[in-house]
Amino acid sequence: MKKEEILELKNKIDMNRIPEHIGIIMDGNGRWAKKRGLPRTAGHREGVKRVTEIVEAAFKINVKYLSLYAFSTENWKRPSDEIEALMKLLVQYINKEIERIHKNNIKVQVMGDITKLPQSVVKEVNRAIDLTKDNTGMVLNIGLNYGGRDEIIRAVKQILEDFKLGKIKPEDINDSSFKDYLYTKEMPDPDLLIRPSGELRLSNFMLYQVAYTEFWYSDIYWPDFREEHLYQAIIDYQKRDRRFGGI
Ligand code: IPE
Ligand code: IPE
Ligand code: MG
């Protein structure tokens, strides 16, 4: 798309009704590469470039929370060399981008059990979280070794621990108190969930939180996902009638 066309699209967005929380299932890297006769890792490398661009585009239009699904609890099923490449790319991404992220007042958060990730990743992720912890701009929430079922089971275990300690009673458990046990505590539910690559499924993403999230799907692969696609998703979102079960 030409620059003017992108701007024209951007101008169609109602800036007073920007979705507060956007989730993205970044999918299609492998197929993007395969289509070009390249190894899957080439797709991941190209996908990382889109992360940089989309983070920038989102924070510029005042999205408050951006949740990116980077590695699922099921992605461990992949060949070890692909997992290693993904981990390496993650470290490289943080290393390269963290100064700019920090300068843009973005706060980095992670959802998922990062203790299971390689030491180099844990170190780099913790450095990013620590450096940006007092930032007040957009929250960049990255799903790493994240799975919605795992998150819910972990919450249940923690609630039982707190019950044993007398910190919580069954009658205290409700939607709001349950959310305090999720990785996303202190974050609103996603308003908009974007999934490129043509798959029409959640793949274990934020199962509890997406109860009333608006979905936006596209056939394009993540390495082809540009700012204009983000704008288009938001424009389409703004046309939806969110009833939350009401009339
Ligand atoms: C998304 O792209 C990246 C991760 C899941 C880490 P894929 O690697 O799933 O690409 P496809 O879906 O096989 O094309
Ligand atoms: C979802 O994509 C996980 C991430 C984008 C990190 P997958 O490629 O793993 O999902 P499936 O296997 O197609 O459902
Ligand atoms: Mg995939």
PDB file of all heavy atoms in Angstrom, residues 160-168:
ATOM      1  N   LEU A 160      -6.126 -22.465  45.718  1.00  0.00           N
ATOM      2  CA  LEU A 160      -6.141 -23.515  46.748  1.00  0.00           C
ATOM      3  C   LEU A 160      -5.056 -23.281  47.804  1.00  0.00           C
ATOM      4  O   LEU A 160      -5.277 -23.507  48.995  1.00  0.00           O
ATOM      5  CB  LEU A 160      -5.981 -24.896  46.102  1.00  0.00           C
ATOM      6  CG  LEU A 160      -7.207 -25.383  45.329  1.00  0.00           C
ATOM      7  CD1 LEU A 160      -6.902 -26.662  44.568  1.00  0.00           C
ATOM      8  CD2 LEU A 160      -8.405 -25.599  46.261  1.00  0.00           C
ATOM      9  N   GLU A 161      -3.902 -22.818  47.361  1.00  0.00           N
ATOM     10  CA  GLU A 161      -2.835 -22.469  48.310  1.00  0.00           C
ATOM     11  C   GLU A 161      -3.306 -21.370  49.247  1.00  0.00           C
ATOM     12  O   GLU A 161      -3.118 -21.448  50.471  1.00  0.00           O
ATOM     13  CB  GLU A 161      -1.571 -21.997  47.561  1.00  0.00           C
ATOM     14  CG  GLU A 161      -0.777 -23.103  46.889  1.00  0.00           C
ATOM     15  CD  GLU A 161      -0.286 -24.173  47.852  1.00  0.00           C
ATOM     16  OE1 GLU A 161       0.120 -23.824  48.975  1.00  0.00           O
ATOM     17  OE2 GLU A 161      -0.340 -25.368  47.490  1.00  0.00           O
ATOM     18  N   ASP A 162      -3.912 -20.335  48.670  1.00  0.00           N
ATOM     19  CA  ASP A 162      -4.397 -19.216  49.477  1.00  0.00           C
ATOM     20  C   ASP A 162      -5.530 -19.637  50.400  1.00  0.00           C
ATOM     21  O   ASP A 162      -5.674 -19.121  51.513  1.00  0.00           O
ATOM     22  CB  ASP A 162      -4.849 -18.053  48.567  1.00  0.00           C
ATOM     23  CG  ASP A 162      -3.657 -17.256  48.043  1.00  0.00           C
ATOM     24  OD1 ASP A 162      -2.519 -17.542  48.469  1.00  0.00           O
ATOM     25  OD2 ASP A 162      -3.867 -16.354  47.204  1.00  0.00           O
ATOM     26  N   PHE A 163      -6.313 -20.603  49.947  1.00  0.00           N
ATOM     27  CA  PHE A 163      -7.395 -21.130  50.788  1.00  0.00           C
ATOM     28  C   PHE A 163      -6.797 -21.814  52.019  1.00  0.00           C
ATOM     29  O   PHE A 163      -7.224 -21.603  53.153  1.00  0.00           O
ATOM     30  CB  PHE A 163      -8.252 -22.111  49.972  1.00  0.00           C
ATOM     31  CG  PHE A 163      -9.301 -22.819  50.784  1.00  0.00           C
ATOM     32  CD1 PHE A 163     -10.417 -22.138  51.257  1.00  0.00           C
ATOM     33  CD2 PHE A 163      -9.171 -24.176  51.088  1.00  0.00           C
ATOM     34  CE1 PHE A 163     -11.380 -22.791  52.016  1.00  0.00           C
ATOM     35  CE2 PHE A 163     -10.136 -24.831  51.847  1.00  0.00           C
ATOM     36  CZ  PHE A 163     -11.236 -24.139  52.314  1.00  0.00           C
ATOM     37  N   LYS A 164      -5.750 -22.627  51.762  1.00  0.00           N
ATOM     38  CA  LYS A 164      -5.090 -23.335  52.875  1.00  0.00           C
ATOM     39  C   LYS A 164      -4.528 -22.353  53.898  1.00  0.00           C
ATOM     40  O   LYS A 164      -4.504 -22.621  55.093  1.00  0.00           O
ATOM     41  CB  LYS A 164      -3.946 -24.205  52.331  1.00  0.00           C
ATOM     42  CG  LYS A 164      -4.403 -25.558  51.825  1.00  0.00           C
ATOM     43  CD  LYS A 164      -3.246 -26.541  51.720  1.00  0.00           C
ATOM     44  CE  LYS A 164      -2.606 -26.496  50.359  1.00  0.00           C
ATOM     45  NZ  LYS A 164      -1.475 -27.368  50.148  1.00  0.00           N
ATOM     46  N   LEU A 165      -4.059 -21.214  53.394  1.00  0.00           N
ATOM     47  CA  LEU A 165      -3.481 -20.195  54.273  1.00  0.00           C
ATOM     48  C   LEU A 165      -4.547 -19.296  54.898  1.00  0.00           C
ATOM     49  O   LEU A 165      -4.236 -18.356  55.619  1.00  0.00           O
ATOM     50  CB  LEU A 165      -2.483 -19.328  53.493  1.00  0.00           C
ATOM     51  CG  LEU A 165      -1.235 -20.043  52.950  1.00  0.00           C
ATOM     52  CD1 LEU A 165      -0.477 -19.137  51.985  1.00  0.00           C
ATOM     53  CD2 LEU A 165      -0.325 -20.498  54.084  1.00  0.00           C
ATOM     54  N   GLY A 166      -5.798 -19.568  54.545  1.00  0.00           N
ATOM     55  CA  GLY A 166      -6.906 -18.777  55.081  1.00  0.00           C
ATOM     56  C   GLY A 166      -7.032 -17.403  54.451  1.00  0.00           C
ATOM     57  O   GLY A 166      -7.713 -16.514  54.975  1.00  0.00           O
ATOM     58  N   LYS A 167      -6.376 -17.223  53.294  1.00  0.00           N
ATOM     59  CA  LYS A 167      -6.411 -15.901  52.650  1.00  0.00           C
ATOM     60  C   LYS A 167      -7.632 -15.700  51.768  1.00  0.00           C
ATOM     61  O   LYS A 167      -7.932 -14.580  51.374  1.00  0.00           O
ATOM     62  CB  LYS A 167      -5.159 -15.719  51.776  1.00  0.00           C
ATOM     63  CG  LYS A 167      -3.879 -15.490  52.556  1.00  0.00           C
ATOM     64  CD  LYS A 167      -2.847 -14.854  51.625  1.00  0.00           C
ATOM     65  CE  LYS A 167      -1.453 -15.337  51.876  1.00  0.00           C
ATOM     66  NZ  LYS A 167      -0.573 -15.090  50.740  1.00  0.00           N
ATOM     67  N   ILE A 168      -8.279 -16.793  51.388  1.00  0.00           N
ATOM     68  CA  ILE A 168      -9.450 -16.666  50.509  1.00  0.00           C
ATOM     69  C   ILE A 168     -10.481 -17.734  50.885  1.00  0.00           C
ATOM     70  O   ILE A 168     -10.111 -18.844  51.292  1.00  0.00           O
ATOM     71  CB  ILE A 168      -9.043 -16.762  49.011  1.00  0.00           C
ATOM     72  CG1 ILE A 168     -10.203 -16.326  48.111  1.00  0.00           C
ATOM     73  CG2 ILE A 168      -8.556 -18.170  48.643  1.00  0.00           C
ATOM     74  CD1 ILE A 168      -9.772 -16.024  46.680  1.00  0.00           C
TER      75      ILE A 168
END
